[in-house]
Amino acid sequence: MSESTFLFQYVLHLADDVLILGHRNSEWTGHGPILEQDIAISNIALDLIGQARNFYQYAAQLSNEEGISATEDSLAYLRDGWDFRNCLLAEQTNGDWAKTILRQFFFSAHQVDLYAWLAKGNDTTLAAIGAKAYKEAIYHLRWSSEWVIRLGDGTEESHARMVRALDELWKFTGELHTPVPYELWATGAGIGPDLSLLRLKWEERIKNIFDEAGLTYPSTQWMQTGGKEGRHTEQLGYVLAEMQFLQRAYPGCEW
Amino acid sequence: MSVQDLEKIFQDKIDADIRIEPKDWMPDAYRKTLVRQMSQHAHSEIVGMLPEANWITRAPTLRRKATLIAKVQDEAGHGLYLYSATETLGTGRDELLEQLHTGKAKYSSIFNYPTLTWADMGAIGWLVDGAAIMNQVPLCRASYGPYARAMVRICKEESFHQRQGFEILLTLSRGSEAQRRMCQDAINRWWWPSVMMFGPNDDASPNSAQSMQWKIKRFSNDELRQKFVDVSAEQVKILGMTLPDPDLVWNEDKQHYDFGAIDWDEFWNVIKGNGPCNKERLEARVKAHEDGAWVREAAMAYAEKVSRNSVKKEIA
């Protein structure tokens, strides 16, 4: 595969992760458990969709340079599931507040180090996006960490719900740090981080917060993967069916 | 000081356009009326999130998706300022939410109408937020300080929302045949409910005189409604669309638009709970509240633990 194809796929992967996660979070808007937290989760959704737009715009530029016309919207709205490269974790349903919080926490704990790395990487566009997104991810991590602790160490019910959320989501966390070919290429080119190093940092972050939250760090090793190469869970199809409805029903329109 | 003296000082202040602040003496009826008016407005913001949130996951472009989330989030913020402002009158958010959830408190009936197409995001911004602004701008000069200050901020954001809404419709009006149809259909459905947002005719609005004297209402329902019709009748021309009122015609003598009869039967029925979405809207709010109960309990329990531990540390 050519360098430009690897780069394109890598950028799309970064974009798809935050679009799908942001979309999921935005399903909470208007339905949050506390008004202040409705605002907070919507704000995080907004940050993530903003990051997605930056990544997609870059991916579209790369595509156009290769003579294949694309826009941020054609990339988001006109690809089917097998072309989406987001991690499986991003597309998992919201479930209750515990599951949404834990999903965000797992992601943010990964994104802070990923974005910090991109910010000093060799690709100037990704470095600029990474630097901006890093600041947002730091806030998302702090917010979600506080909630993991609050729910883990809150009431018997909230603790039980966190344990259940952990049971549902843990198997999707390994994919965050299991590199696929375009990530290996990015690491080699000094554009993206070495995921095995990021994994160590991530585990430490999770363990520290779990300690405070009274949650047990799982020993299960078996992990689901495939999302980053377009093999998804059943959840993604529904997200796309809903998200892409207007663009599919009325093709070629300006909105 | 006698109550009469206090009342005189209070009304003198209002007449001199001096703001009433939370710790000032005020008549019970003024407090009660304000709590009702402000909490109704707060509830309207919160319930009003639902019809638009309905399209966040289906917004047609990433830019539209982001601006729609930001808009609905602004509405949550407005609810928050207004609940906080109402708290300064001695009624807490829990009590107000209880009134909403049990159906004791009202919210704007407009949110009991469904959002059926993307064009509704435009029509709500243009017409519903437009009507809200007509109502709310005068309230930036309301006599109660915390209310007036909240309204200043709310109105700034609302006028931004209105421009966004109009721009959505403008884009549709210049689009495909289907998009233009979508645009006209949304205007047809939202026009009359928006005209009704100003409330009953002045002769059927018994509390208005007192509220005017207290300066918590500054123009009559019919005055505001006329202004809204006049402005909208001109703006719709820019869209190349029409308002669904065959009687709408410019009256040269009055220098206003004449418009058709309002279906008050529909108005009162939607208020009574018979609108297309009354049940869903309230159920969605109650569900969010009930589903969130364990979250709020956990947050409280954790906060108590933390404060107990910090006390222990101080003692040690």
Side-chain angles (χ1 to χ4, degrees):
Chain A
M1 222 180 291
S2 73
E3 290 221 339
S4 62
T5 312
F6 275 133
L7 178 59
F8 178 68
Q9 290 191 352
Y10 185 59
V11 177
L12 267 188
H13 152 67
L14 294 170
D16 291 344
D17 260 355
V18 278
L19 174 63
I20 300 301
L21 185 61
H23 179 98
R24 278 296 192 205
N25 284 341
S26 79
E27 292 172 9
W28 275 103
T29 305
H31 306 275
I34 309 165
L35 193 47
E36 285 82 347
Q37 300 309 323
D38 196 306
I39 294 174
I41 192 80
S42 303
N43 206 42
I44 291 172
L46 207 48
D47 285 344
L48 295 173
I49 288 167
Q51 292 169 14
R53 292 189 66 191
N54 288 329
F55 287 127
Y56 282 130
Q57 283 162 13
Y58 183 36
Q61 181 198 321
L62 293 170
S63 181
N64 292 332
E65 283 165 9
E66 294 289 302
I68 303 162
S69 128
T71 64
E72 56 169 336
D73 290 323
S74 74
L75 293 172
Y77 289 90
L78 300 177
R79 285 178 303 144
D80 202 350
W82 53 28
D83 285 329
F84 269 76
R85 292 174 174 79
N86 60 283
C87 294
L88 301 175
L89 181 63
E91 70 207 35
Q92 296 312 303
T93 52
N94 285 346
D96 60 7
W97 190 245
K99 190 176 169 190
T100 294
I101 288 294
L102 192 63
R103 187 184 60 197
Q104 187 60 47
F105 172 61
F106 284 152
F107 242 103
S108 298
H110 168 61
Q111 284 172 324
V112 283
D113 294 318
L114 169 68
Y115 290 154
W117 208 101
L118 289 182
K120 57 186 176 58
N122 285 341
D123 186 292
T124 50
T125 308
L126 286 182
I129 300 171
K132 183 173 178 286
Y134 171 75
K135 290 179 200 153
E136 295 167 347
I138 285 282
Y139 164 74
H140 303 167
L141 178 60
R142 196 174 65 207
W143 178 84
S144 57
S145 299
E146 284 168 3
W147 270 106
V148 168
I149 295 167
R150 212 174 272 141
L151 297 180
D153 191 22
T155 60
E156 224 171 277
E157 181 177 5
S158 69
H159 181 83
R161 284 177 184 264
M162 283 304 283
V163 170
R164 197 172 66 201
L166 184 54
D167 185 48
E168 287 179 40
L169 292 177
W170 184 252
K171 62 178 171 289
F172 299 114
T173 58
E175 190 185 15
L176 294 170
H177 303 105
T178 307
V180 295
Y182 54 80
E183 285 175 307
L184 292 170
W185 169 84
T187 308
I191 285 171
D194 178 343
L195 290 180
S196 62
L197 298 179
L198 248 57
R199 181 199 298 265
L200 298 174
K201 287 183 151 188
W202 184 85
E203 285 175 357
E204 198 187 321
R205 289 183 190 282
I206 304 301
K207 279 177 183 158
N208 285 340
I209 297 299
F210 274 17
D211 268 357
E212 250 191 278
L215 295 167
T216 310
Y217 189 89
S219 54
T220 333
Q221 295 298 320
W222 176 250
M223 291 291 170
Q224 298 294 331
T225 56
K228 292 200 276 199
E229 293 181 293
R231 292 187 310 279
H232 290 276
T233 59
E234 291 178 351
Q235 315 304 334
L236 183 67
Y238 296 101
V239 171
L240 297 183
E242 193 170 341
M243 185 172 80
Q244 298 178 339
F245 153 67
L246 278 167
Q247 289 278 357
R248 300 287 191 183
Y250 304 94
C253 291
E254 289 286 319
W255 298 94
Chain B
M1 217 182 290
S2 71
V3 171
Q4 282 87 344
D5 291 341
L6 289 167
E7 270 175 3
K8 186 174 180 320
I9 295 170
F10 168 82
Q11 190 61 49
D12 285 350
K13 264 194 202 168
I14 287 181
D15 293 343
D17 278 328
I18 297 169
R19 292 265 160 78
I20 306 300
E21 295 299 336
K23 287 184 176 161
D24 295 345
W25 186 90
M26 62 188 85
D28 282 345
Y30 175 82
R31 187 185 297 275
K32 230 173 124 182
T33 305
L34 267 179
V35 168
R36 196 183 58 226
Q37 183 173 333
M38 289 161 68
S39 65
Q40 268 183 21
H41 185 176
H43 297 328
S44 301
E45 296 282 356
I46 302 309
V47 177
M49 293 168 75
L50 299 170
E52 288 176 287
N54 186 33
W55 278 87
I56 287 175
T57 53
R58 288 177 289 172
T61 68
L62 294 177
R63 181 172 77 92
R64 294 293 187 202
K65 195 181 193 71
T67 47
L68 187 58
I69 295 172
K71 187 193 169 188
V72 180
Q73 193 194 17
D74 282 348
E75 284 156 10
H78 299 171
L80 206 53
Y81 315 148
L82 287 162
Y83 284 128
S84 303
T86 315
E87 276 174 7
T88 66
L89 291 163
T91 310
R93 205 199 300 180
D94 287 345
E95 191 181 337
L96 298 173
L97 288 179
E98 171 75 17
Q99 290 171 359
L100 172 67
H101 297 154
T102 53
K104 197 180 152 209
K106 297 287 179 210
Y107 55 86
S108 179
S109 270
I110 194 80
F111 302 117
N112 291 319
Y113 289 87
T115 50
L116 302 179
T117 72
W118 170 252
D120 290 19
M121 300 303 100
I124 288 182
W126 175 43
L127 295 173
V128 175
D129 293 338
I133 292 167
M134 295 277 171
N135 262 324
Q136 290 168 8
V137 166
L139 295 175
C140 298
R141 295 184 291 121
S143 60
Y144 187 58
Y147 188 28
R149 288 188 288 273
M151 292 312 302
V152 170
R153 195 159 161 192
I154 290 172
C155 284
K156 276 185 195 155
E157 293 180 348
E158 289 294 353
S159 71
F160 186 64
H161 296 165
Q162 198 206 6
R163 282 202 298 275
Q164 274 176 359
F166 191 77
E167 198 258 328
I168 288 175
L169 292 184
L170 194 60
T171 307
L172 293 174
S173 74
R174 293 169 177 171
S176 69
E177 183 57 39
Q179 285 177 306
R180 282 195 296 278
R181 201 177 130 209
M182 212 181 266
C183 181
Q184 183 63 61
D185 168 70
I187 294 169
N188 291 350
R189 283 181 290 107
W190 289 96
W191 172 248
W192 285 110
S194 300
V195 171
M196 292 180 201
M197 278 177 72
F198 297 91
N201 285 133
D202 292 348
D203 50 18
S205 184
N207 300 320
S208 287
Q210 177 65 80
S211 290
M212 295 270 221
Q213 193 201 350
W214 280 335
K215 294 189 181 169
I216 52 178
K217 185 180 173 91
R218 309 204 61 143
F219 295 98
S220 80
N221 294 353
D222 287 331
E223 281 171 330
L224 292 168
R225 187 175 2 250
Q226 183 66 56
K227 203 172 156 195
F228 174 71
V229 171
D230 289 347
V231 169
S232 307
E234 288 303 314
Q235 287 174 340
V236 77
K237 293 178 189 167
I238 302 171
L239 297 174
M241 299 284 148
T242 55
L243 296 175
D245 180 358
D247 298 325
L248 186 78
V249 59
W250 177 251
N251 184 323
E252 193 59 38
D253 295 339
K254 290 190 200 156
Q255 289 293 301
H256 285 297
Y257 275 90
D258 289 334
F259 56 96
I262 293 170
D263 184 350
W264 294 112
D265 198 29
E266 176 179 326
F267 175 79
W268 292 113
N269 263 297
V270 179
I271 286 186
K272 266 188 260 166
N274 298 329
C277 300
N278 294 58
K279 219 164 130 50
E280 285 109 304
R281 299 291 185 243
L282 200 55
E283 271 172 10
R285 284 316 314 160
V286 170
K287 184 175 187 307
H289 190 74
E290 286 175 355
D291 288 353
W294 70 270
V295 179
R296 296 188 299 274
E297 279 160 22
M300 289 291 284
Y302 181 73
E304 277 164 26
K305 264 186 217 176
V306 169
S307 76
R308 263 204 312 276
N309 288 343
S310 70
V311 170
K312 264 188 220 159
K313 269 183 206 157
E314 273 172 35
I315 295 168

